[in-house]
Amino acid sequence: MNYTLHQLQVFAKIADTQSITKAAEALHLTQPAVSIQLKKLQEQFEIPLTEVVGRQLYITEFGREIEVAARNIIDQAIAIQNKTMAYKGQMVGKVTISVVSTGKYVMPFFLRDFFRLHPGIELAMDVTNKSQVVDSLSRNQVDFSLVSIVPDNMQLGQLDLIKNKLYLVANADFTRKKVKNLNTFFESIPLIHREPGSGTRQTMERFIQSLDISVNRKLELSSNEAVKQAVIAGLGLSIMPLIGIKNELTLGQLQIIPIPGLPIQTTWRLIWQKGRRHGPAASALLDYLTANKSQIIRQHFDWYEAY
């Protein structure tokens, strides 16, 4: 047997994704590179590891057995690496974080220097919508979650990081005028919404309900980026987090429309299950953020604080 650890890692990812293409994307490799590694691994066995039915790749029953063995080998290799780094005095482990979609503009800046200080710690960060973030937290699948609206049905610990400010935004061609009647204004413009389960949508709907006004809902889109591009294209206006539109404001592609009651302000918070026992890596990250969050805000978010 002449298989390599890299071949086993590639095969494990193929088994996860059931796809050469998706495995290549996850591993940041080209499709031919993944195919070559799979072929070289297959050459070590007389029984097929995979099969293609129609255009879909499947792992064979024998392949599943090899997958289990491969994961054990990979885990042991990681354990050896961790023991080596721990012996050298470096902290090791893994931190898992689920992040609401607009939080991707926030969380990396709070993590960067910590992971530079501790190269032996791995990070798994899942970026998705609020309902899925809360679900992963409730199932105890992650160490932390980043949200701007804290769920009220869980016992949580939390660390406030930075304010989340939401403004009404339009594209550069929109004629800005003084808003005299909010109800008339929102009935006359197409308002673009995020999908159900989004924290941004929940915040927007609470604002609209508090004003007791009617709106012209034009579109419902499933990501902040999609909403942003729709607004730039002139399909409508939207209430969006400031944190995600810095470049578009600078380039003049978007403009903030001042109306009474905005910006809406919430807070980006790192939350965790109170009953969860954090490992050394997660505890170290929490201590680091508590001690350094003010410095991180000054270093990376001066522009944001000015609004």
Side-chain angles (χ1 to χ4, degrees), residues 130-293:
K130 178 179 176 271
S131 61
Q132 292 172 314
V133 165
V134 172
D135 182 64
S136 67
L137 189 69
S138 67
R139 293 173 181 271
N140 208 31
Q141 295 174 335
V142 294
D143 293 307
F144 306 107
S145 293
L146 182 73
V147 297
S148 59
I149 301 175
V150 177
D152 55 10
N153 58 346
M154 300 168 63
Q155 293 294 314
L156 300 170
Q158 63 183 52
L159 175 65
D160 293 359
L161 295 182
I162 189 172
K163 291 293 182 185
N164 180 31
K165 307 172 188 179
L166 294 94
Y167 289 87
L168 181 68
V169 295
N171 71 355
D173 297 331
F174 186 81
T175 303
R176 186 188 301 193
K177 54 188 175 182
K178 187 174 181 179
V179 179
K180 297 180 180 180
N181 184 302
L182 284 177
N183 201 49
T184 303
F185 178 76
F186 278 107
E187 284 182 341
S188 66
I189 64 166
L191 194 63
I192 302 173
H193 285 59
R194 284 285 305 275
E195 81 286 1
S198 159
T200 297
R201 175 172 176 149
Q202 187 176 346
T203 302
M204 179 193 297
E205 289 181 337
R206 284 180 180 176
F207 171 71
I208 292 169
Q209 289 169 4
S210 72
L211 297 176
D212 193 24
I213 59 177
S214 301
V215 299
N216 174 11
R217 181 184 299 176
K218 182 68 173 181
L219 289 174
E220 182 180 289
L221 300 173
S222 61
S223 74
N224 194 61
E225 288 299 317
V227 172
K228 184 163 57 177
Q229 294 305 317
V231 174
I232 291 172
L235 291 177
L237 279 65
S238 190
I239 296 176
M240 301 187 67
L242 175 65
I243 198 73
I245 57 174
K246 176 186 178 183
N247 291 338
E248 289 74 19
L249 290 173
T250 302
L251 295 171
Q253 295 175 318
L254 291 177
Q255 60 174 316
I256 291 173
I257 307 301
I259 65 170
L262 294 182
I264 305 166
Q265 290 202 44
T266 57
T267 302
W268 292 111
R269 291 183 171 97
L270 200 66
I271 60 175
W272 59 91
Q273 289 262 34
K274 272 194 173 177
R276 185 179 178 90
R277 298 182 64 180
H278 286 139
S283 295
L285 174 60
L286 193 57
D287 291 342
Y288 171 84
L289 292 176
T290 301
N292 294 280
K293 65 175 185 175

